Amino acid sequence: MSNPHQPSPLSYVQPTANSPWGTYLSQVDRVVPYLGHLARWVETLKRPKRALIVDVPIELDNGDVAHFEGYRVQHNLSRGPGKGGVRFHPDVTLEEVMALSAWMTVKCAAVNLPYGGAKGGIRVDPKQLSHKELERMTRRYTSEIGIIIGPQRDIPAPDVNTNGQIMAWMMDTYSMNTGTTATGVVTGKPIHLGGSLGRIKATGRGVFVTGREAARRLGLDLNGARIAVQGFGNVGASAAELFAQAGGLIVAAQDHTGTIFNAHGFDMADLMAHVKASGGVGGFPGADVATLPIDHEAFWDVACDILIPAALEGQITAARAQRILARLVLEGANGPTVPAADDILADRGILVVPDVICNAGGVTVSYFEWVQDFSSFFWSEDEINLRLDKIMAGALKHIWDTADQHQITLRTATFAVACERILTAREERGLYP
Ligand code: GLU
């Protein structure tokens, strides 16, 4: 008998081909032929388990009341508690948070961490808030999502525009509300509150490790390799520093403050000092004529060997994919490449190390932090970096072998490896009731 209840598209989002959830759905569709009997469960991946929308009212410093829209989405909890960051950005939407939560499910499974996937966000421009307003908003948001988070339930972490201070307020608010000192409720905390050494730079380090391994397989020497980086926040800047230490030349950088180019590579120490002092790459380098400000769109035409998108989703469009000159694209951001662009890059022989493995270093050290919090025993930075390197390089090798075996892209191979793990857990647990 045929099933009269065929799954229909979700009513609460209207994804398009290039929107975040639309991009994610098309990535799932591509993996179905490689799932064997587990394909029976694939619909599980196409709908989040739980999505919470909360109102976040706060009193502003001038006495007015402002309301912000907050979200926490738990995409899948088959393999463990939800895990994923919290983003503060004016463009945050339910659809975006859903896609980011789903990518966390895939990412955690790709590196075999015992977590499901979740993500949160507030639709706000945090730069418009004072320190105290930011604290009030963070605490109220944490209280509102407190009904679904917890050290064994769902563990937030930093993402775009959030950091250790925000995590400290979240940890404190959850702890106050539960009468505990719940260090394990968030990761990416300051070191004194149970944070882990190496966590801040972990995502950038993971981008470097996967990039180093991919470059080795391509026969691309990192010494002298030309690298362009979009997004010079925590991820992009940390990755750029590690590539520069390995002899790479950072020839272009772009963020919300501007786009800069230097054919000989920037002086990284100077650039980092400028970014720290001014809040972005724009305006660098003062008197140095070797570095030029260039047009925003010209970033995509820069002659380089490695391109690192480390900003927001949807940056590599089909049109930009036609122009990219790099041999290797390392996705430090989540969801930077739309599906049509993925096909163009593959046709042009440009290798893409996808977000769901490339930027998994952050959540991997988040996992180390969570384990350390539970055991109340803390590891050295060397030990963390070594373990991170081993997990990332090992996961990439397994994915690469899968890609070779089926003659598929690294993205589809990562989804194949991850979805097999997620759906096996799903099948073994069985349907309740
Ligand atoms: N926000 C980071 C990501 O997108 C880290 C998440 C985490 O550590 O839980 O992977």
Side-chain angles (χ1 to χ4, degrees):
M1 202 172 75
S2 70
N3 177 0
H5 303 288
Q6 287 304 329
S8 55
L10 299 173
S11 66
Y12 51 89
V13 290
Q14 278 76 43
T16 62
N18 292 340
S19 69
W21 187 250
T23 296
Y24 165 74
L25 289 180
S26 117
Q27 292 165 349
V28 171
D29 284 338
R30 286 174 185 210
V31 84
V32 174
Y34 309 100
L35 292 178
H37 76 283
L38 293 171
R40 171 170 188 253
W41 296 100
V42 83
E43 191 60 27
T44 303
L45 300 170
K46 295 190 177 185
R47 40 195 72 225
K49 176 180 178 62
R50 191 175 283 138
L52 180 63
I53 305 176
V54 294
D55 175 35
V56 185
I58 62 159
E59 188 169 314
L60 299 176
D61 293 345
N62 68 5
D64 288 352
V65 176
H67 290 257
F68 301 98
E69 203 171 297
Y71 307 95
R72 185 73 188 173
V73 176
Q74 296 172 346
H75 172 258
N76 187 284
L77 306 179
S78 292
R79 303 180 67 253
K83 187 84 194 81
V86 171
R87 171 176 296 203
F88 292 171
H89 195 279
D91 297 335
V92 163
T93 60
L94 173 62
E95 195 209 311
E96 183 194 37
V97 178
M98 279 168 57
L100 292 165
S101 71
W103 284 321
M104 287 308 304
T105 303
V106 176
K107 192 187 301 185
C108 291
V111 279
N112 218 354
L113 306 178
Y115 288 135
K119 200 87 174 195
I122 305 182
R123 199 171 163 81
V124 62
D125 180 0
K127 294 181 187 73
Q128 305 296 325
L129 298 180
S130 71
H131 191 73
K132 279 287 166 201
E133 289 167 342
L134 190 63
E135 175 173 356
R136 287 197 286 276
M137 185 189 70
T138 302
R139 288 185 180 279
R140 181 61 189 250
Y141 168 73
T142 308
S143 256
E144 294 296 337
I145 66 165
I147 55 175
I148 60 169
I149 64 170
Q152 306 284 4
R153 306 177 78 192
D154 179 0
I155 306 115
D159 196 77
V160 174
N161 290 332
T162 56
N163 55 25
Q165 175 62 79
I166 305 278
M167 294 307 115
W169 290 327
M170 291 188 75
M171 174 268 186
D172 182 69
T173 304
Y174 181 86
S175 296
M176 291 292 112
N177 286 345
T178 54
T180 58
T181 302
T183 54
V185 69
V186 289
T187 57
K189 300 178 295 295
I191 300 297
H192 291 105
L193 295 179
S196 176
L197 295 169
R199 174 61 186 85
I200 292 176
K201 298 198 166 186
T203 311
R205 183 172 289 278
V207 172
F208 172 74
V209 171
T210 54
R212 181 194 68 204
E213 294 301 303
R216 187 174 53 75
R217 286 176 182 254
L218 291 181
L220 172 64
D221 191 352
L222 287 186
N223 192 15
R226 297 159 304 166
I227 298 159
V229 186
Q230 189 206 30
F232 225 71
N234 181 32
V235 179
S238 305
E241 274 190 305
L242 288 167
F243 278 108
Q245 278 164 26
L249 305 174
I250 312 303
V251 294
Q254 174 172 84
D255 67 10
H256 65 285
T257 65
T259 307
I260 53 172
F261 173 75
N262 181 334
H264 308 292
F266 308 118
D267 181 307
M268 278 306 289
D270 283 358
L271 179 56
M272 293 304 290
H274 173 82
V275 169
K276 201 168 173 215
S278 72
V281 301
F284 185 73
D288 179 1
V289 287
T291 299
L292 303 167
I294 59 169
D295 181 62
H296 183 81
E297 198 53 36
F299 174 81
W300 303 99
D301 301 316
V302 166
C304 62
D305 301 296
I306 300 176
L307 172 68
I308 307 179
L312 295 172
E313 304 90 63
Q315 293 300 301
I316 304 186
T317 57
R320 287 172 176 169
Q322 299 280 10
R323 289 156 47 197
I324 287 170
L325 295 168
R327 288 174 66 190
L328 180 59
V329 174
L330 304 175
E331 293 188 338
N334 290 307
T337 309
V338 304
D342 237 354
D343 294 339
I344 293 167
L345 293 173
D347 287 348
R348 295 186 59 217
I350 299 171
L351 186 78
V352 178
V353 181
D355 48 5
V356 279
I357 175 67
C358 190
N359 71 33
V363 73
T364 300
V365 177
S366 276
Y367 167 61
F368 297 162
E369 178 174 333
W370 185 72
V371 168
Q372 291 171 88
D373 287 340
F374 275 112
S375 59
S376 298
F377 180 79
F378 291 86
W379 313 344
S380 72
E381 188 158 357
D382 280 352
E383 181 164 8
I384 282 159
N385 290 344
L386 269 173
R387 284 182 191 253
L388 173 64
D389 205 303
K390 200 169 162 208
I391 288 182
M392 297 291 291
L396 185 67
K397 182 183 181 309
H398 182 50
I399 288 161
W400 208 294
D401 292 345
T402 305
D404 283 349
Q405 184 193 340
H406 297 295
Q407 291 296 300
I408 51 180
T409 62
L410 288 181
R411 189 181 318 277
T412 302
T414 311
F415 269 70
V417 167
C419 293
E420 189 186 337
R421 288 179 182 149
I422 300 158
L423 298 182
T424 298
R426 212 267 158 274
E427 184 170 71
E428 286 172 352
R429 286 177 65 158
L431 272 181
Y432 171 87

